[in-house]
Amino acid sequence: MYRVVHLGRMYHAVHRGDQVSKRATTDLTDLTEGCLGAFVRSGTLDLSLDQLASDVGISKRMLVHYFGGREAIEERAMTLLENRLRAQFAPENFPSGIAAQTVINALWDRTTNPKSKGVLLLVMDLSRRAWNGSPRATSFYQEQQQLWVELLLRYLPDKNTVEDVLQSFQGAVLAYLITGNPEPGRRVLNRICARLETCRKFHKETKQHRTG
């Protein structure tokens, strides 16, 4: 009898522990979402724990209790941001067989959409950290670069061309953040695409002439 009761108590204790663990995981996921939202609204990771707690709607003590410290908060928020950007800009999310200019204009529209400004500022803030030597921010920056390279390689002829377009795109983004006007950047990117299309047609006609 004693053993049955004892095992029953153990079962219920473990079962309750599973429930607590699941609830804690859910709470941590929700809090990570809230922290990322706060970082996006501010356009930076450089919020004090007091500011972050106030924005998320939890006490600073509980914030530290759940995450263990600031570094863990930033790590989880960056990982969540990486996952969202990966899902948004994954190559398979863009149709094949369309012109590079169409893709680049779509990317430009997404990047300069007013609703995306907080994310854009946060990504730039992480780039600044990468430039200052942060290993985690450098890893974030490199993953984003690789994601865009993989996407653009589906529509551009080679890696060198992708690099040229990507550098021009990033320069246009900086100008947009300063001026708030997306149109000059769009015109620059469209001119680059037009030159690439002219080169493509020229090489195609030259090849046909030689084989003809």
Side-chain angles (χ1 to χ4, degrees), residues 25-41:
T25 300
T26 301
D27 289 344
L28 189 58
T29 300
D30 291 342
L31 282 174
T32 302
E33 293 266 3
C35 289
L36 178 58
F39 291 139
V40 168
R41 286 188 291 276

Side-chain angles (χ1 to χ4, degrees), residues 90-100 102-103 106 110 151 154-155:
E92 57 269 22
N93 291 341
F94 292 78
S96 59
I98 60 176
T102 302
V103 175
R110 289 189 188 188
L151 171 60
R154 296 185 65 186
Y155 304 98

Side-chain angles (χ1 to χ4, degrees), residues 26 31 37-38 41 46 64-65 67 82 93 99-100 115 120 151 186-187:
T26 301
L31 282 174
R41 286 188 291 276
D46 293 334
V64 173
H65 167 75
F67 288 99
E82 282 175 331
N93 291 341
K115 293 181 180 180
L120 182 57
L151 171 60
R186 187 190 306 278
R187 290 194 294 270

Side-chain angles (χ1 to χ4, degrees), residues 188-200:
V188 168
L189 293 170
N190 281 334
R191 285 197 295 269
I192 291 172
C193 289
R195 287 197 294 269
L196 289 172
E197 180 62 15
T198 299
C199 289
R200 187 191 69 80

Side-chain angles (χ1 to χ4, degrees), residues 143-196:
E143 173 166 334
Q144 297 311 305
Q145 288 286 104
Q146 184 60 34
L147 182 64
W148 281 62
V149 167
E150 290 174 3
L151 171 60
L152 292 174
L153 273 174
R154 296 185 65 186
Y155 304 98
L156 295 171
D158 53 60
K159 203 163 185 177
N160 287 335
T161 304
V162 168
E163 184 177 321
D164 291 344
V165 170
L166 196 51
Q167 290 293 321
S168 298
F169 195 103
Q170 291 170 338
V173 166
L174 287 173
Y176 161 71
L177 287 174
I178 294 170
T179 66
N181 184 0
E183 294 312 311
R186 187 190 306 278
R187 290 194 294 270
V188 168
L189 293 170
N190 281 334
R191 285 197 295 269
I192 291 172
C193 289
R195 287 197 294 269
L196 289 172

Side-chain angles (χ1 to χ4, degrees), residues 41-55:
R41 286 188 291 276
S42 300
T44 180
L45 289 178
D46 293 334
L47 293 178
S48 70
L49 287 178
D50 287 319
Q51 290 174 310
L52 191 57
S54 175
D55 202 315

